Amino acid sequence: MTLRAKLLASFHALATGTLRLDPASADAFSNHVANACEGLHVIGQLCTAPNALQSATLAIMLERWFRLLPEFEAARQILERKAGPSQVAPNLDAASALLLHSRILEVSLSQRALPETRAMRVADLVRDAASAFFALEQKCRAPDRHTQKLLAATLRAALGQPLSQAREAACIFLNSDRK
């Protein structure tokens, strides 16, 4: 079974079980979240080995992740209507946060030619959102190892303030050619 198939199955089970969605809504929910999660590996890469990628490759991966963020919107709206706990993501250690920030800043300056203040804003926003998305990325690597409630809490945590921060970063990063 592919990772995408596991994600679809896991998020569909979450949608029909914990969230108690009807079958059509559960299908839409699981498809949107699985699509959006396909770009999360860039966050995992940034949090575990930020210097492993060349700047051009990292810029492409960031752009892909940013373009997939709207897929989370339908899931966010559903989670807002359903009561449930949110998990607090552990903060990145200081060294990882600094490396992630410096790589995003470098890519924003060198690959997207953003002005320094806008590049700094992108780096700040991605750094601030990264821990929640990294926790979600870790759950998505092995979705069958986690309870539905834990998966829902992790998803809820990522789709709150961190999603807003990531979307603001995306807006700046993707619109760099429209100064």
Side-chain angles (χ1 to χ4, degrees), residues 43-125:
I43 295 300
Q45 182 72 42
L46 279 167
C47 291
T48 57
N51 291 324
L53 298 172
Q54 293 181 342
S55 295
T57 304
L58 182 54
I60 291 166
M61 290 174 68
L62 269 173
E63 182 175 341
R64 182 166 188 264
W65 179 59
F66 285 150
R67 291 193 187 283
L68 288 170
L69 287 174
E71 290 282 343
F72 279 127
E73 188 58 31
R76 185 190 63 76
Q77 290 174 0
I78 289 169
L79 287 170
E80 283 180 348
R81 292 191 305 262
K82 302 287 184 174
S86 178
Q87 181 181 8
V88 176
N91 287 331
L92 294 175
D93 64 87
S96 295
L98 183 61
L99 272 172
L100 182 147
H101 188 274
S102 66
R103 281 309 311 274
I104 299 296
L105 180 61
E106 182 265 322
V107 166
S108 296
L109 290 168
S110 70
Q111 301 298 311
R112 299 301 285 203
L114 287 173
E116 189 172 339
T117 55
R118 291 171 50 115
M120 185 66 80
R121 181 72 179 147
V122 169
D124 290 346
L125 289 164

Side-chain angles (χ1 to χ4, degrees), residues 36-45 65 68 72 133 136-137 140:
C37 286
E38 287 185 19
L40 282 179
H41 65 281
V42 69
I43 295 300
Q45 182 72 42
W65 179 59
L68 288 170
F72 279 127
F133 281 103
L136 180 59
E137 190 261 348
C140 289

